[in-house]
Amino acid sequence: MVATSYLLGVSTRRMEKLVESLGITRLSRSQVSEMAKDLDAQVEAFRTRPLDAGPYTFVAADALVLKVREGGRTVNVHALLATGVNGDGYREILGLHVTSSEDGAGWLGFFRDLVARGLSGVALVTSDAHRGLVEAIGATLPGASWQRCRTHYAANLMAATPKNAWGWVKALLHSVYDQPDADAVHAQFDRILDALAVKLPAVAHHLDQARADILAFTAFPKAAWRQIWSNNPQERLNREIRRRTDVVGIFPERSALIRLVGAVLAEQHDEWTEQRRYLGLDILAKSRLRNLADATPETEEVTITAITA
């Protein structure tokens, strides 16, 4: 009961009151934490399991900043997360690593671990434009394309846009994603560049530089676009993690963070396996065929163009 309550995000203070109502009067916070450690073996088994349900055609990666007490002070640590769509069309939690900083070394180690555990067949990775993350994708997943999250990019573009033009520039950008097919998407993109080149040349340049990154989704079937052109599905997972971790606030150590976040992820992973397919098998088959058709001996690296923040 204590371990389950911990997983559900019940604070140790509330848990003390709960057990008192059951006639237990001597359950300290340290005892609650000790009992919750029963989750450690389950979480470790989940985090290190073989990734044998591939190919994982579509992958998404993101990071959360959480607080931990270390060396007598409170520090920020980064929980690196990855999800993927497996060969049967279901979403999976692929991995969780906790690092001191969200740098290239952290992401590289994370993706190397995923590959060592069996991650393969990746056609597209969706993420924000963190350079270390993008470079790690290129170093560990040959042949995979990179989709820059459209939501994150919109925020980056607005930062380069005069405030009085935010409304109509954002509307123009959104119109790109409303097109019926890939050809129409690229045609609309060209029209927008022409429209911006006169009034806002710096914004037009920013958009042109990001073209290949934010339109990578067009190489895949339209039925998959909403699932792959942004990290919004990942953000929903992040909100659920935040809902549980906000109760704790500051973790006493990294192992406690991994215990709670890992247990939440394992729970979500199980829920996904019981839901309907995230993507149909026909969509995945077409995506893999299209990815193979686009691959050439000269392009054995992830497709990455210049990143403009």
Side-chain angles (χ1 to χ4, degrees):
M1 182 194 73
V2 169
T4 301
S5 298
Y6 178 85
L7 171 59
L8 293 174
V10 179
S11 68
T12 53
R13 184 173 299 173
R14 290 182 179 179
M15 217 175 294
E16 289 172 24
K17 295 180 179 179
L18 172 64
V19 296
E20 283 178 8
S21 69
L22 299 176
I24 303 172
T25 58
R26 293 184 180 181
L27 186 64
S28 66
R29 296 183 187 180
S30 61
Q31 285 175 308
V32 170
S33 297
E34 196 65 31
M35 291 178 183
K37 287 182 181 179
D38 289 342
L39 295 167
D40 286 352
Q42 301 172 42
V43 169
E44 182 64 15
F46 173 71
R47 291 178 63 225
T48 59
R49 76 190 191 283
L51 299 177
D52 53 8
Y56 294 91
T57 308
F58 299 115
V59 170
D62 202 1
L64 285 174
V65 179
L66 300 167
K67 295 185 181 296
V68 174
R69 289 192 185 90
E70 289 184 344
R73 60 195 182 96
T74 301
V75 299
N76 289 333
V77 296
H78 299 257
L80 311 183
L81 310 173
T83 62
V85 181
N86 65 26
D88 291 323
Y90 293 96
R91 290 182 78 191
E92 281 193 28
I93 304 293
L94 300 177
L96 163 68
H97 273 202
V98 176
T99 62
S100 297
S101 61
E102 191 188 354
D103 56 10
W107 280 114
L108 184 61
F110 181 44
F111 274 97
R112 281 177 173 169
D113 176 70
L114 295 178
V115 172
R117 287 167 47 213
L119 179 65
S120 63
V122 180
L124 184 75
V125 181
T126 303
S127 74
D128 63 20
H130 186 283
R131 185 172 295 276
L133 168 53
V134 178
E135 291 176 350
I137 294 167
T140 57
L141 299 173
S145 298
W146 173 56
Q147 168 66 41
R148 184 172 183 175
C149 173
R150 56 171 279 190
T151 304
H152 285 87
Y153 177 70
N156 297 147
L157 185 64
M158 291 307 103
T161 302
K163 192 171 183 179
N164 61 1
W166 280 5
W168 63 270
V169 170
K170 187 175 291 187
L172 287 176
L173 180 61
H174 284 176
S175 72
V176 171
Y177 305 107
D178 292 333
Q179 303 308 309
D181 55 47
D183 290 341
V185 167
H186 286 277
Q188 177 67 2
F189 198 92
D190 289 335
R191 286 191 288 270
I192 290 174
L193 288 180
D194 291 340
L196 290 172
V198 177
K199 293 186 176 181
L200 298 171
V203 176
H205 177 72
H206 193 292
L207 194 61
D208 191 34
Q209 289 291 99
R211 178 177 193 140
D213 305 333
I214 62 174
L215 299 186
F217 69 88
T218 59
F220 300 92
K222 189 176 189 299
W225 286 3
R226 289 188 178 277
Q227 285 87 348
I228 65 175
W229 62 20
S230 77
N231 257 7
N232 287 353
Q234 189 93 350
E235 292 297 332
R236 287 192 286 271
L237 174 63
N238 291 349
R239 285 196 295 271
E240 178 60 19
I241 295 172
R242 289 287 189 194
R243 187 179 71 82
R244 310 288 185 94
T245 58
D246 284 350
V247 175
V248 178
I250 302 173
F251 287 89
E253 55 192 2
R254 293 195 187 197
S255 60
L257 185 157
I258 293 172
R259 180 184 309 134
L260 179 56
V261 176
V264 171
L265 293 176
E267 179 187 63
Q268 181 62 74
H269 177 88
D270 290 342
E271 288 184 10
W272 283 346
T273 61
E274 297 174 356
Q275 296 174 358
R276 67 177 185 175
R277 285 188 174 91
Y278 189 65
L279 286 174
L281 297 181
D282 57 332
I283 298 172
L284 292 177
K286 290 176 183 177
S287 299
R288 289 193 286 269
L289 286 173
R290 190 167 299 184
N291 190 55
L292 289 173
D294 291 341
T296 66
E298 292 76 27
T299 57
E300 293 192 350
E301 295 182 358
V302 63
T303 303
I304 302 172
T305 59
I307 300 173
T308 47

